[in-house]
Every structure is written in structure tokens, then in C-alpha cells.
Amino acid sequence: MKRQRVEIDGRTLQVSNLEKVLFPEVSFTKAQVIDYYVRIAPVLLPHVAGRPVTFTRWPDGVEGQTFFEKNSARHAPEWVRRVTIPSPGSSRGRETLDMVILESTADLAWAANLAALEVHVPQWRVDDDGQPALPDLLVLDLDPGPETGIAECCVVAERLGERLEADGLDPVVKTSGSKGMQVYAPIDTPTDREHPSRYAKALAQELAAETPDDVVWRMEKVLRPGKVLIDWSQNNPAKTTVAPYSLRARAGATVSTPIGWDEVDAVREGADPATLRFTTDDVLARVEEYGDLFDVANATRAPLPES
């Protein structure tokens, strides 16, 4: 195992096996994974700030075995921030989790060196005491069933965007980096932690009732061929979604990429859905040209209606 020390933002980090290929289809190495996360850090870090991270690790690459990691990895550097938070309903009987919060470029490089290819975060942050605060984001995860794809997701995303705007919200959208996409909206002071789930479920039910041949809100696989699932359950405080600008453990080293509503509309109108498939090089070039299209910090933050 080849090891070497690197300096990133004043931190000394030991990295290893940089030549290891993690995405065989495109010969994408661990060194390239680390390089991508270092270069994308300025726009990625604001979206994970204060949010406990769940990693998806692929130590032998995307064709090997994987595992989720919520608890902080053993031998994590002392400068990586950790928070101890409640773990209700843990399948292993844990009452708490010691989770990582990524705050610096060095943190991202450390995670990438662990082959933590994907970064997943909840829709809430921790407060000043390191405890879960109320959600500040709403998410509607669009998952295409058999015989559908991202083009059908764009149709549903446009309808969701219109409905959210009608309720005074300021939606943004990104690809999942896999088959689907997610529509988000920053929210202001929900009444309780389950408020976003109630609202999202009611909205998903509404759209499914209006176009039952195209949309489904229930999870059963038998209901999903030819339809797009609006997964409202991702607002559950115990769940996470892939972060903007995170790599996905897919064959082509694709990225969960913020996009503009004009791009959604173009695919809805018949443009090639492949235009919404982005690699690391694509994303870095887009950020250089457009900045952060997922700029929720400057979006209108409005309260959710009660459902």
C-alpha cells in the first residue's frame, strides 16, 4: 500500500493507493476522486455545512462491495468535527451516533481518501449545541419507474416547481446523478420536525390524483412501471439525500448536478435527456461558467403551509 503525505488548507493528510481505479468503465482513479472533491469544495461545502454526513464507501471501486457509514471512521483526524446525536429506531440498538460534519477542503479530501464516493446529508443542520435543529430544506425526490427516465422526471419537476412557487416557495432542482432528480425549496421555521413530510406527502398525493397515469406517491414497486415516484418520505428527519455536487457510484463517475429550470424545460420540450448527465469535468466547467445554480442561501425562505 503506497502512502504519502499531502498538505491541504494547512492540514497534513496521509493518502494512499492514489493510482487505484475506482470507476473502471472510465478509468477514474482515487487520485482523481480526491482532486475533484478538492476543486469542487468551494460550492459543495456550503451545502453540507452543519449537516451530519452519511458516507457511501466503495473501497474496491464501484464494482466491489459497498457500505454506508454514519459513525465517524476509526482513526479520523482530530481536526474533523464530530457531533453526537440521538439515533432513534436504530436497527443495532444504538442510542446515539457519532457523526462527521464536513467543514473544510481537507475534510473532503480525507473522506475521498476513504473511497467515500458519495456524500449524503439530511434536510436539517445541527444547532450551536450540536443537536438536530428543525429542517431548513424541503425535498421531493423524483424516481423514475421502469419505462420512464429523466425526461418524464422533468415534466413532474416543472409541475412541482409551479406548485411550490404558488405556495410562496423558491424551488431549485438538481439531477440525482443516477436516473432521477430532486426538487428542493428552502423553508422557514416549520412547526415541527415532521411538518415537511406532511406537506410533501400531501403535494405528492395531489399531483398523483391529477395525473394518475404519470405520477405515483406510494412506494410499492408494482405501482411504478411507466410512472415517476414522488418520494416525499425523504423529508423524514432520519433520512438523507445525496448532496449537491456529490459523485455517484455509477459506472461513468457521474455527479449530482444543480441545473437551471430552463434546462428542465428544454428536456421536457424534447431535448436529449443525455444533456442532463454530467461528469466531474462537466460540473467543474459549469461552476466556472454559471457559479452555484443551487444557491439556496440566497433563495426566498418561506414558511410551509399546513397540510
Side-chain angles (χ1 to χ4, degrees):
M1 179 183 294
K2 297 180 181 178
R3 299 179 183 272
Q4 65 185 77
R5 292 184 180 275
V6 296
E7 293 286 332
I8 299 175
D9 281 354
R11 304 291 191 186
T12 300
L13 178 68
Q14 185 169 265
V15 296
S16 62
N17 293 332
L18 294 180
E19 73 288 349
K20 190 173 202 176
V21 175
L22 298 181
F23 294 86
E25 185 180 81
V26 289
S27 301
F28 203 80
T29 66
K30 185 196 279 192
Q32 290 173 290
V33 170
I34 295 172
D35 178 70
Y36 169 71
Y37 275 117
V38 167
R39 295 171 66 190
I40 204 66
V43 289
L44 189 158
L45 285 170
H47 298 300
V48 299
R51 302 186 194 275
V53 173
T54 298
F55 294 126
T56 307
R57 291 179 57 182
W58 301 77
D60 296 314
V62 298
E63 294 180 357
Q65 295 296 311
T66 183
F67 60 95
F68 286 94
E69 187 169 69
K70 287 184 176 288
N71 271 302
S72 173
R74 290 180 298 171
H75 312 304
E78 53 86 21
W79 39 264
V80 172
R81 183 184 176 192
R82 303 166 181 80
V83 292
T84 300
I85 61 175
S87 177
S90 169
S91 61
R92 298 186 180 182
R94 292 195 181 106
E95 294 184 358
T96 61
L97 290 169
D98 296 315
M99 300 188 73
V100 163
I101 293 181
L102 300 174
E103 298 184 314
S104 70
T105 302
D107 292 348
L108 283 171
W110 162 74
N113 184 60
L114 297 178
L117 301 182
E118 297 184 357
V119 174
H120 296 250
V121 288
Q123 315 317 319
W124 47 268
R125 302 177 190 267
V126 295
D127 61 21
D128 292 341
D129 296 322
Q131 293 304 298
L134 289 172
D136 62 345
L137 288 176
L138 173 82
V139 62
L140 295 144
D141 186 16
L142 306 184
D143 190 358
E147 303 168 18
T148 62
I150 202 164
E152 288 78 12
C153 288
C154 286
V155 175
V156 178
E158 288 239 337
R159 293 177 59 206
L160 284 171
E162 291 170 356
R163 278 291 289 105
L164 292 169
E165 288 179 347
D167 281 339
L169 299 170
D170 195 357
V172 292
V173 64
K174 69 179 180 70
T175 70
S176 69
S178 181
K179 299 180 297 180
M181 59 201 314
Q182 290 106 23
V183 178
Y184 286 77
I187 58 175
D188 184 36
T189 319
T191 55
D192 58 67
R193 292 177 66 79
E194 299 298 335
H195 187 177
S197 288
R198 294 194 302 272
Y199 173 83
K201 181 178 181 180
L203 190 54
Q205 289 173 326
E206 177 185 321
L207 266 65
E210 290 175 356
T211 52
D213 292 336
D214 302 320
V215 175
V216 62
W217 67 272
R218 293 168 57 189
M219 308 295 174
E220 295 94 321
K221 290 184 178 180
V222 68
L223 301 175
R224 297 183 55 192
K227 301 180 183 182
V228 174
L229 169 67
I230 301 178
D231 186 355
W232 55 270
S233 73
Q234 295 301 110
N235 294 282
N236 183 312
K239 290 195 174 185
T240 61
T241 49
V242 67
Y245 303 108
S246 172
L247 272 166
R248 297 309 306 272
R250 302 294 183 268
T254 52
V255 177
S256 179
T257 307
I259 56 178
W261 285 105
D262 57 334
E263 294 177 282
V264 175
D265 187 57
V267 172
R268 183 182 64 81
E269 292 289 342
D272 186 354
T275 61
L276 298 184
R277 182 182 184 276
F278 303 102
T279 65
T280 55
D281 287 343
D282 297 330
V283 171
L284 291 165
R286 284 169 63 86
V287 169
E288 184 174 352
E289 182 173 0
Y290 304 120
D292 183 10
L293 293 177
F294 205 80
D295 188 13
V296 293
N298 293 313
T300 300
R301 192 171 293 278
L304 287 175
E306 276 294 350
S307 301

